[in-house]
Amino acid sequence: MDYDFSEDVAKIWPALMFMAGFVVVVGALLFVLDILPRWGKHKERLQAMGFLGPALVLLCLGLLYPLIRTVYLSFFNADGSSFIGVENYTWIFTNDDTLLMLRNTLFWVVCVPLLSTGFGLLYAVLVDKARGEGIAKSLIFLPMAISLVGASIIWKFIYAYREADQEQIGLLNQILIWLGGKPQQFLSTSPGNTFYMIVMLVWIQAGFAMVILSAAIKAIPAEIVEAARLDGANPWQMFWRVTMPSIRPAVVVVTVTITIATLKVFDIVRTSTGGQFKSSVLAFEMYTQAFRSYDDGKGSALAVLLFVLVIPVVVYQARQLRHRTEIR
């Protein structure tokens, strides 16, 4: 009996196509980077095109095209069949639920960067050159190793609520009972639930801020510190007149990075409250409209708004980096 190879060919065909494509791409790069420059006068330009070309192609496919497509869809109705102009954007700024969502997002953006950077800086200063510094920093940095979903589940157990006559499994409510109080529904009560979720992200991001700021503090030249001490500066003056001016670029980087991460927060809200109890934020509302309500128009409009809000933060960061480069 003859063996049918058609099934085997169908299985290995995608792998063969991938290998062929890989060979073509590598061959093209070698041609541009090595062989072609020998024939031309502009060797450096050709090599730069060879290195930057694949990255630019991937950038266009993965970022530029989706951006243009999202902006396009934001001017259409739910299924993209009718052009409705700026109605989706009008809905964002006139609907009561979306206005509440924007307020929550603003609260997140204001509180998380300030608290995370503040606690990270405080911890970095307190444990600097202290005994057991490595262990202390490891403990505050450990939450960074946990995913946002995992951290949310941990804090949900801390905030867990049961009736007063039942055995409590939530740490905070158990402490309240020990103190003679009543258990509270931390994640089900607005607007307090937003603050309790903010605590989760601050708990995670404070470790990131501590690591960066601690490295910046250790990079301060010893001559500056010694000169300030010889001039009779006390610890408070040392902090504000020596430490803070020296680590200001690091503080800006940390604050901007955490701000961008906060604007995109989704996992914590999705895991903790599911956007209920008036706790929704911009990224979660975008997900809700696009993938739950199947409204591509409103989901795209929210995505564009999120993109627009991130742009000023990124521009500010780029200017700060350019300013530091010019100073050097």
Side-chain angles (χ1 to χ4, degrees), residues 199-326:
V199 171
M200 303 180 192
L201 190 55
V202 171
W203 180 64
I204 295 173
Q205 294 293 343
F208 164 76
M210 181 270 300
V211 170
I212 303 299
L213 297 177
S214 178
I217 291 174
K218 291 186 179 297
I220 299 175
E223 297 81 5
I224 298 178
V225 178
E226 292 297 330
R229 289 175 178 172
L230 290 175
D231 289 340
N234 58 41
W236 186 254
Q237 293 172 327
M238 285 283 296
F239 177 77
W240 286 109
R241 298 184 181 182
V242 177
T243 303
M244 280 302 296
S246 300
I247 67 172
R248 180 181 177 276
V251 173
V252 172
V253 170
V254 169
T255 305
V256 169
T257 303
I258 296 177
T259 299
I260 295 174
T262 304
L263 278 169
K264 301 184 298 180
V265 66
F266 168 82
D267 312 64
I268 292 177
V269 177
R270 176 67 179 85
T271 307
S272 301
T273 64
Q276 300 178 3
F277 315 113
K278 300 180 180 180
S279 63
S280 184
V281 291
L282 182 54
F284 183 82
E285 189 65 27
M286 175 186 68
Y287 161 80
T288 300
Q289 294 297 329
F291 299 103
R292 285 185 172 179
S293 301
Y294 301 102
D295 192 327
D296 292 337
K298 291 179 180 178
S300 298
L302 290 167
V304 172
L305 176 60
L306 180 59
F307 179 76
V308 170
L309 292 177
V310 170
I311 287 178
V313 183
V314 175
V315 170
Y316 175 76
Q317 172 72 338
R319 289 184 176 180
Q320 291 297 316
L321 292 175
R322 183 181 302 175
H323 179 66
R324 289 173 58 188
T325 303
E326 292 175 353

Side-chain angles (χ1 to χ4, degrees), residues 17-31:
M17 292 296 294
F18 173 80
M19 294 175 61
F22 179 79
V23 171
V24 170
V25 172
V26 172
L29 289 176
L30 290 176
F31 179 77

Side-chain angles (χ1 to χ4, degrees), residues 47-98:
Q47 288 179 335
M49 290 174 57
F51 282 113
L52 295 177
L56 291 176
V57 171
L58 292 175
L59 186 64
C60 291
L61 293 177
L63 181 63
L64 187 58
Y65 172 74
L67 173 61
I68 296 174
R69 179 67 176 172
T70 301
V71 174
Y72 174 80
L73 289 175
S74 68
F75 295 104
F76 284 78
N77 61 352
D79 59 2
S81 60
S82 301
F83 179 80
I84 59 175
V86 295
E87 287 187 17
N88 291 322
Y89 294 97
T90 304
W91 165 79
I92 293 176
F93 296 103
T94 56
N95 184 273
D96 291 339
D97 292 334
T98 54

